[in-house]
Amino acid sequence: MVFTNKVIGLFKQLKKWHLFQVIVLLILILMLSFFGLLFYFTKDADISGLKNELPQPTVFYDVNGKVASKVSANKNEGIPIKAVPASLKNAIIAIEDHRFYKHNGVDLIGTTRALFRDLRAGGMVEGGSTITQQLTKNTILTSEKTLKRKMQEVFLAIAVERKYSKSEILQMYMNQIYFGDGAYGIKQAASKYFAKDVQDLSVSQSALLAGLIKAPSALNPYKHMEKATERRNLVLAAMKEQGYITNTQYQKAKTEKIVLNNNGGDPFRGKYPYYVDQVLDEAIKRYGFTQDELLTGGFRIYTELNPTMQAAIEETYQDNSLFPKGTDRLVQSGGVLLDPKTGGVRAIIGGRGVHTFRGYNRASQLKAQPGSSFKPIAVYTPALEEGWKITDMLKDEPMKFGSYQPSNYDHQYAGEVPMYEAVKESKNVSAVWLLNEIGMDKGVDSVKRFGIPLDKEDENLSMALGGLHNGVSPLEMAEAFSVFPNKGSRIKAHVIKKIVDPEGNVVSEWKGKKVRVTTKAVSDHMTTMLLGVVEEGTGKEAKIPGRETAGKTGSTQVPIKGINGLKDQWFVGYTPQLVGSFWVGYDQTDADHYMTPTSGTGASVVFSKVMEKSLRGASNQSFNVPHIAPLIEKRKKEEEKSNFQEHFNNEVQRWEDKWNKQIEKWRNKIKGRD
């Protein structure tokens, strides 16, 4: 009986052992199946959405090679892992994934623990995600809490660990995670909360930022300081427990007061927006880049920008008193400052009011009739080239040229005036008469040499007064007028010097060349006459105190019958070292929107203010050309002398007539006596 019981017990024991083997075998099969599935699904897992890149802004450098502005389409800006202090890396690992360096993307222990809690709760309440899983969720997957999405997260995390090192994964994670309050990536977070570079963060500050990752909004220290502090202390405790910091460091960091500072934004981001717009536009049109490449490629663009001059033009455009008052719309304006010797655009502004990224730039995209500011280009330069002198007399009287009958703006006529006088007083009839005298083809050729394109419709006598079919921009006029201070040569206006890619390769570079437009003698004669415009004539409001300034006014009339007002107002002028071109007017002129001339406002005044500020501290240079004041004085004396001679002759004639009459009386008396 005893033997039988032993046999039966042994048999039962064998059955139990066999059952245990079966269970173990089943578990092994399940595990092998699980890992087989992992291998199968991760082998071809698409992780192309994950890029180990450091998003960098495109940086713009000024003419002196210093950083002037930055722009980027990326919401965050990357930083290499080697620039991140150990305290910050350890803080994130301690609180988010303390087994980060021990697993291959998925922490089975952590996941199992989270799974049991989810089953107990009857839903997905705890993630149990590793840093690698969080990275895939944030960059490749959605944040929905479903079993399918969780499985995808696991497969992708393992695939990521196969391709990237732990340092690369941590770098991508830290540069893409959201830290709250609009801060994406650790660089923005350090700036947003502490106004610091990442490498300068203390242990306490690192712990606070690491603590925000779990719930960025709920733990935002700007709104929930107490919760943020509690979370920081929890992170510090985890760091101490895992051996990342000593007890002394823990105590010191825990008692460190949290001082927030939101003044750490990049001072260069978004600076000088109109100049940046022009740079992007030139890079796209002249060098073939796309906007997306320029905003995401991390290029370094070296420009012709002068920050002092750009600041001067932007500051001036904030002074509404310098511009004509609008009715229900803003009177708009666009302006350019150009270095005549290099063609480099030193400053540019495309409008007043709110700036729109790559919106309408009135400095470079405007097409408006230039009015009388076109006369030096279309009429007086080619006339001087044909041998006319600035003292030659031009007709100034009402006349018709076929069906075309120009008139002076003030409807006053002197019969005839010297050329310098016609320029000084902006005589319309004299300019049209002179263009007719030298020939239309000479005027057209001159305009094209100055770099201004013409349509066939422009080739008529109204071109003398800027009556162009499409019109010109301030940038085109600045380039054209640069011929005069540059002694007859023109260099294409441009904003870009070179473009360098992130690897340091020069991918585009400006290679300009001088174009001979006219002779030095002709350009000097034009400068003499244009000095007269500012010193003695219609451009007096454009004077720059203490500096020789030459230039030409221009305006166009409202093309609506019965309305006496201005549509466009121009001043294009220069000193020996700088050209300024400014347009003022409504974007759309109609019966309710036009300008009436007001002293102290308009293009000439804006030119004067911008140029004065821009050249403050610059050397006071001279054109070294004659001024017209002596010519005016000489002509005045000649007129006085002529008038005196005429008066003397008239007096002599009067006395002679009187004497002759007296003699005649005496003769008659003698005859009567006889």
Side-chain angles (χ1 to χ4, degrees):
M1 189 70 178
V2 174
F3 177 76
T4 304
N5 290 337
K6 285 184 177 180
V7 171
I8 294 171
L10 180 62
F11 181 74
K12 288 181 178 180
Q13 195 71 26
L14 286 172
K15 285 180 69 177
K16 286 181 180 180
W17 177 250
H18 179 68
L19 182 63
F20 175 74
Q21 285 181 316
V22 170
I23 292 171
V24 170
L25 183 62
L26 286 172
I27 291 172
L28 288 173
I29 291 171
L30 286 172
M31 289 178 68
L32 286 172
S33 299
F34 175 72
F35 284 109
L37 285 171
L38 286 181
F39 177 80
Y40 178 78
F41 283 109
T42 59
K43 180 166 59 72
D44 299 316
D46 182 12
I47 58 171
S48 59
L50 183 65
K51 297 178 181 178
N52 186 25
E53 296 177 349
L54 299 177
Q56 296 294 322
T58 292
V59 183
F60 300 83
Y61 295 83
D62 64 25
V63 69
N64 298 313
K66 296 181 180 179
V67 176
S69 186
K70 294 180 182 179
V71 66
S72 175
N74 296 308
K75 60 187 176 185
N76 61 327
E77 188 174 324
I79 184 171
I81 193 69
K82 61 184 179 182
V84 179
S87 62
L88 180 56
K89 289 184 281 189
N90 294 337
I92 291 176
I93 290 170
I95 197 65
E96 288 296 319
D97 185 4
H98 70 277
R99 288 171 43 81
F100 177 65
Y101 291 109
K102 297 177 182 177
H103 61 68
N104 293 315
V106 179
D107 185 0
L108 293 177
I109 297 174
T111 302
T112 302
R113 183 179 63 248
L115 181 60
F116 276 118
R117 289 178 181 174
D118 290 342
L119 290 172
R120 193 180 303 154
M124 302 291 286
V125 295
E126 184 171 336
S129 296
T130 65
I131 283 176
T132 313
Q133 287 175 271
Q134 290 182 53
L135 178 63
T136 60
K137 179 179 69 176
N138 291 331
T139 57
I140 303 173
L141 301 171
T142 65
S143 59
E144 62 178 338
K145 291 187 176 182
T146 63
L147 187 59
K148 178 184 176 183
R149 205 275 303 151
K150 192 70 177 177
M151 290 301 294
Q152 289 175 324
E153 182 184 297
V154 169
F155 297 147
L156 291 170
I158 294 173
V160 168
E161 292 263 352
R162 281 181 183 161
K163 183 173 180 179
Y164 297 104
S165 68
K166 291 289 185 181
S167 290
E168 289 175 317
I169 292 169
L170 191 57
Q171 175 177 284
M172 288 185 282
Y173 177 78
M174 295 177 74
N175 282 321
Q176 299 188 45
I177 203 75
Y178 183 56
F179 288 87
D181 213 49
Y184 286 87
I186 192 61
K187 185 170 183 177
Q188 279 192 12
S191 176
K192 172 70 70 173
Y193 293 109
F194 302 113
K196 281 187 173 183
D197 290 330
V198 175
Q199 55 265 38
D200 297 328
L201 292 171
S202 68
V203 173
S204 172
Q205 291 166 339
S206 296
L208 184 134
L209 294 181
L212 297 179
I213 296 172
K214 180 183 179 182
S217 298
L219 297 171
N220 185 340
Y222 284 112
K223 298 177 182 177
H224 311 288
M225 176 59 81
E226 188 176 341
K227 289 182 179 179
T229 304
E230 289 177 4
R231 180 69 175 171
R232 178 203 65 174
N233 295 341
L234 182 64
V235 175
L236 290 170
M239 292 176 73
K240 184 185 74 166
E241 182 182 337
Q242 295 168 38
Y244 289 122
I245 57 175
T246 65
N247 186 60
T248 302
Q249 289 174 312
Y250 167 72
Q251 294 297 337
K252 181 182 177 183
K254 187 178 178 182
T255 56
E256 182 180 307
K257 184 179 179 182
I258 297 173
V259 180
L260 300 176
N261 186 345
N262 195 18
N263 295 322
D266 193 330
F268 297 107
R269 190 173 289 276
K271 202 171 184 183
Y272 309 135
Y274 277 111
Y275 201 99
V276 167
D277 283 354
Q278 188 63 25
V279 171
L280 296 175
D281 195 55
E282 189 171 294
I284 291 168
K285 293 179 179 177
R286 187 171 292 174
Y287 298 111
F289 289 88
T290 65
Q291 178 174 295
D292 184 60
E293 287 174 331
L294 293 168
L295 296 182
T296 61
F299 291 99
R300 301 196 303 275
I301 305 181
Y302 293 82
T303 75
E304 299 281 2
L305 169 72
N306 182 307
T308 300
M309 295 180 181
Q310 185 66 34
I313 203 170
E314 290 181 4
E315 181 184 321
T316 303
Y317 268 61
Q318 294 298 315
D319 188 350
N320 294 329
S321 68
L322 303 177
F323 298 87
K325 289 183 179 179
T327 49
D328 56 337
R329 293 183 210 159
L330 202 63
V331 175
Q332 274 298 346
S333 181
V336 176
L337 297 180
L338 183 76
D339 184 334
K341 293 179 176 60
T342 67
V345 175
R346 296 293 181 242
I348 190 168
I349 192 162
R352 300 173 63 205
V354 179
H355 168 264
T356 301
F357 177 69
R358 293 203 69 207
Y360 183 41
N361 191 326
R362 296 164 189 83
S364 58
Q365 297 172 340
L366 174 82
K367 292 296 179 184
Q369 293 185 340
S372 292
S373 66
F374 211 57
K375 292 173 183 175
I377 299 167
V379 181
Y380 294 113
T381 292
L384 293 171
E385 291 172 340
E386 289 297 298
W388 286 71
K389 297 180 177 60
I390 68 172
T391 52
D392 285 346
M393 303 303 288
L394 311 182
K395 285 191 177 181
D396 179 34
E397 59 189 43
M399 63 180 78
K400 293 183 72 173
F401 302 87
S403 60
Y404 180 48
Q405 185 173 5
S407 61
N408 291 341
Y409 72 94
D410 58 359
H411 301 287
Q412 300 295 312
Y413 304 90
E416 64 174 11
V417 292
M419 186 188 292
Y420 67 80
E421 181 80 15
V423 175
K424 175 173 75 77
E425 297 301 329
S426 199
K427 297 281 189 179
N428 291 340
V429 173
S430 299
V432 175
W433 176 83
L434 183 56
L435 179 58
N436 189 59
E437 288 292 304
I438 64 174
M440 193 69 220
D441 57 332
K442 296 290 192 302
V444 169
D445 175 66
S446 177
V447 171
K448 290 180 178 178
R449 280 186 281 124
F450 274 91
I452 295 177
L454 292 174
D455 294 332
K456 200 66 182 173
E457 297 94 327
D458 297 327
E459 297 180 10
N460 57 71
L461 289 176
S462 67
M463 183 183 73
L465 309 182
L468 304 182
H469 182 64
N470 285 321
V472 291
S473 69
L475 182 59
E476 288 174 318
M477 289 298 287
E479 182 184 319
F481 266 64
S482 70
V483 170
F484 303 131
N486 203 29
K487 306 302 179 184
S489 293
R490 175 174 62 85
I491 301 175
K492 184 72 177 174
H494 62 282
V495 291
I496 296 173
K497 294 170 78 173
K498 65 179 178 180
I499 302 176
V500 179
D501 69 15
E503 286 72 45
N505 304 309
V506 177
V507 292
S508 299
E509 191 168 12
W510 166 253
K511 294 178 181 177
K513 59 180 181 179
K514 274 188 178 182
V515 177
R516 174 58 66 180
V517 176
T518 190
T519 65
K520 177 182 180 299
V522 167
S523 63
D524 283 349
H525 287 317
M526 281 305 313
T527 294
T528 291
M529 291 194 290
L530 294 175
L531 276 167
V533 172
V534 177
E535 294 172 351
E536 311 280 350
T538 57
K540 288 180 180 178
E541 286 190 314
K543 283 182 180 178
I544 306 170
R547 292 187 183 272
E548 285 192 352
T549 310
K552 187 70 188 74
T553 54
S555 62
T556 62
Q557 297 295 312
V558 177
I560 301 174
K561 192 174 182 180
I563 294 179
N564 183 24
L566 300 181
K567 178 178 178 289
D568 305 290
Q569 197 178 58
W570 290 81
F571 189 85
V572 189
Y574 54 95
T575 65
Q577 66 266 59
L578 191 64
V579 179
S581 175
F582 294 87
W583 166 88
V584 174
Y586 280 103
D587 284 336
Q588 291 183 324
T589 298
D590 53 39
D592 299 315
H593 302 93
Y594 59 89
M595 297 178 294
T596 53
T598 307
S599 178
T601 67
S604 297
V605 178
V606 173
F607 168 89
S608 174
K609 297 296 183 185
V610 170
M611 294 286 280
E612 181 183 2
K613 292 177 182 177
S614 298
L615 293 171
R616 195 170 290 157
S619 60
N620 194 348
Q621 300 178 17
S622 172
F623 289 113
N624 297 314
V625 300
H627 291 232
I628 67 168
L631 295 176
I632 294 173
E633 187 63 27
K634 181 181 177 182
R635 185 161 186 257
K636 183 180 178 182
K637 288 180 178 179
E638 287 175 350
E639 286 179 346
E640 288 176 351
K641 183 179 178 181
S642 176
N643 290 338
F644 174 79
Q645 187 65 46
E646 184 178 352
H647 179 72
F648 178 79
N649 291 338
N650 288 338
E651 283 297 307
V652 169
Q653 185 65 46
R654 188 169 69 84
W655 281 104
E656 186 177 343
D657 291 343
K658 192 173 182 180
W659 175 251
N660 288 334
K661 286 179 182 179
Q662 187 62 44
I663 290 175
E664 188 64 30
K665 285 181 181 180
W666 288 342
R667 284 176 179 171
N668 290 334
K669 282 184 180 181
I670 292 170
K671 285 181 181 180
R673 289 175 184 171
D674 291 344

